[in-house]
């Protein structure tokens, strides 16, 4: 029996995670199953280019598009594949790798390629904040401010992120928010709000330990203002998967979410900062993305 090889495109972010990737094609070809895949390789050259390359791959009837990069690269590829039959693969090469971590995709390139060879596929949910897709996490408040600052910083990885947090946390002011979650109304003062499709930001920092990419729900994680001296305890909750046990965190699950804030400003989608208005509408698109896990 003749088996038709699947057309696979690797889209490689050459600068994600501060890692050199010029020889990615040569290194990955050692481990990719050439009997299963007919592979091509393209490098993204600017923000938005990975999405353009993905759209072209759909037009050219590729079966699989593999994002080689961090959460931003994955977002560009994934948002273009929503509600298509083309399958997303991930080679984690970023600073956080939140979605890959949750899906237990190996952080070592060789092991991640070998996972592609198994071609185990499932459908996961996608989140949408106004017109912007996210697959791991979206954030409002302090979370979004940090994403904006971190995006402009030359120091990447967990150290760079914590450096940004420490430099900003002392003078950030909480805001008042109104929420409508599946028709129920809430008012809260919040330090930050995370809209979690998966449990973790990345680097094993779990903001919503019981979130799932396949339950048809988003976890609205409301972090209330807390005394600065409790920051070590809040970080302990974050890294011990116990944020739901903190008295400063409320988690409400829902499908349709409206958030009204006092003023326009930054949000983030999968770590990428975006400037939006006061009214933020968020929804979940169940089982809308095919992914190798």
């Amino acid at each position: 029996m003749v088996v038709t090889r699947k057309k696979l495109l690797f889209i490689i972010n050459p600068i994600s995670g501060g890692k050199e990737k010029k020889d990615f094609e040569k290194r990955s070809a050692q481990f990719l199953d050439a009997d299963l895949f007919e592979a091509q390789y393209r490098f993204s050259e600017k923000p938005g280019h990975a999405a353009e390359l993905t759209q072209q791959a759909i037009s050219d009837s590729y079966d699989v598009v593999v994002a080689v990069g961090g959460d931003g690269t994955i977002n560009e590829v994934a948002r273009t594949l929503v509600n298509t039959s083309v399958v997303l693969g991930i080679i984690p090469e970023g600073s956080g790798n939140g979605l890959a971590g949750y899906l237990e995709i190996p952080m070592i390139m060789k092991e991640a390629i070998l996972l592609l060879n198994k071609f185990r596929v499932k459908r996961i949910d996608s989140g949408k904040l106004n017109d912007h897709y996210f697959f791991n996490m979206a954030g409002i408040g302090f979370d979004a401010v940090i994403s904006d600052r971190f995006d402009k910083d030359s120091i990447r990885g967990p150290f760079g992120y914590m450096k940004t947090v420490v430099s900003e946390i002392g003078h950030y002011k909480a805001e008042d928010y109104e929420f409508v979650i599946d028709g129920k109304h809430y008012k809260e003062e919040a330090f930050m709000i995370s809209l979690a499709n998966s449990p973790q930001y990345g680097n094993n920092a779990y903001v919503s330990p019981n979130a799932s990419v396949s339950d048809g729900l988003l976890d609205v994680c409301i972090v209330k203002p807390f005394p600065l001296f409790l920051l070590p305890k809040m970080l302990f909750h974050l890294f011990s998967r116990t944020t739901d046990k903190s008295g400063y965190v409320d988690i409400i699950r829902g499908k349709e979410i409206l958030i009204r804030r006092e003023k326009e400003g930054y949000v983030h989608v999968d770590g990428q900062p975006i400037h939006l208005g006061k009214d933020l509408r968020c929804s979940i698109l169940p089982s809308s993305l095919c992914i190798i896990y």
Side-chain angles (χ1 to χ4, degrees):
M1 182 177 68
V2 177
V3 178
T4 303
R5 293 192 298 169
K6 300 180 188 303
K7 290 181 65 178
L8 180 150
L9 177 65
F10 286 99
I11 297 178
I12 306 153
N13 182 334
I15 62 172
S16 63
K19 300 175 183 177
E20 179 58 64
K21 304 183 190 69
K22 287 182 180 177
D23 62 346
F24 178 84
E25 178 176 352
K26 180 180 178 181
R27 292 190 296 123
S28 63
Q30 300 175 63
F31 311 111
L32 189 69
D33 187 345
D35 292 328
L36 179 60
F37 297 116
E38 177 188 345
Q40 297 292 325
Y41 300 79
R42 295 291 303 274
F43 284 89
S44 60
E45 298 172 358
K46 58 185 178 181
H49 192 209
E52 294 174 14
L53 293 172
T54 304
Q55 189 60 60
Q56 187 60 52
I58 295 170
S59 299
D60 293 341
S61 300
Y62 276 82
D63 303 294
V64 185
V65 180
V66 180
V68 183
D71 292 333
T73 306
I74 293 164
N75 181 284
E76 283 196 35
V77 174
R79 74 190 189 215
T80 315
L81 297 180
V82 167
N83 292 326
T84 75
S85 60
V86 182
V87 179
L88 171 68
I90 297 174
I91 307 296
E93 294 281 0
S95 300
N97 303 310
L99 182 62
Y102 169 68
L103 294 171
E104 298 184 344
I105 295 171
M107 299 298 153
I108 298 170
M109 186 272 287
K110 173 186 174 181
E111 299 301 323
I113 294 288
L114 294 176
L115 183 66
L116 294 180
N117 293 339
K118 294 180 180 178
F119 203 66
R120 186 175 60 183
V121 177
K122 69 175 179 180
R123 285 191 169 271
I124 67 169
D125 305 336
S126 309
K128 200 170 187 183
L129 179 57
N130 288 7
D131 294 325
H132 303 277
Y133 288 102
F134 64 95
F135 305 90
N136 186 52
M137 196 82 58
I140 304 158
F142 182 73
D143 193 11
V145 169
I146 293 303
S147 291
D148 176 52
R149 304 293 188 273
F150 183 62
D151 189 59
K152 297 169 181 172
D153 201 332
S154 59
I155 303 175
R156 310 305 293 169
F159 176 77
Y161 191 85
M162 287 309 301
K163 169 181 167 289
T164 307
V165 168
V166 170
S167 68
E168 296 289 336
I169 197 168
H171 51 82
Y172 180 80
K173 303 298 182 185
E175 296 182 32
D176 291 321
Y177 295 87
E178 295 181 23
F179 302 84
V180 183
I181 303 174
D182 290 346
K184 294 184 178 180
H185 292 250
Y186 308 85
K187 284 188 177 182
E188 288 274 9
E189 184 184 19
F191 177 72
M192 64 181 235
I193 302 159
S194 292
L195 301 162
N197 191 37
S198 95
Q200 64 159 304
Y201 292 120
N203 298 306
N204 295 312
Y206 285 77
V207 67
S208 188
N210 298 309
S212 167
V213 296
S214 54
D215 63 357
L217 297 168
L218 288 169
D219 285 21
V220 184
C221 307
I222 304 167
V223 180
K224 293 174 277 190
F226 57 89
L228 198 54
F229 72 84
L230 287 180
L231 179 60
K233 185 175 182 180
M234 297 298 286
L235 291 173
F236 170 78
H237 282 303
L238 197 63
F239 288 98
S240 64
R241 307 187 187 191
T242 57
T243 49
D244 54 333
K245 304 295 192 295
S246 170
Y248 291 96
V249 179
D250 289 335
I251 299 176
I252 306 167
R253 293 188 174 90
K255 297 179 180 179
E256 296 289 339
I257 299 139
L258 170 64
I259 301 173
R260 290 193 174 100
R261 54 184 176 175
E262 297 173 324
K263 57 182 183 291
E264 64 182 29
Y266 280 101
V267 303
H268 82 80
V269 288
D270 290 337
Q272 307 305 300
I274 301 170
H275 197 276
L276 293 179
K278 296 179 182 179
D279 287 5
L280 305 168
R281 296 183 181 275
C282 192
S283 58
I284 189 78
L285 288 72
S287 302
S288 52
L289 180 69
C290 297
I291 192 166
I292 298 172
Y293 71 105

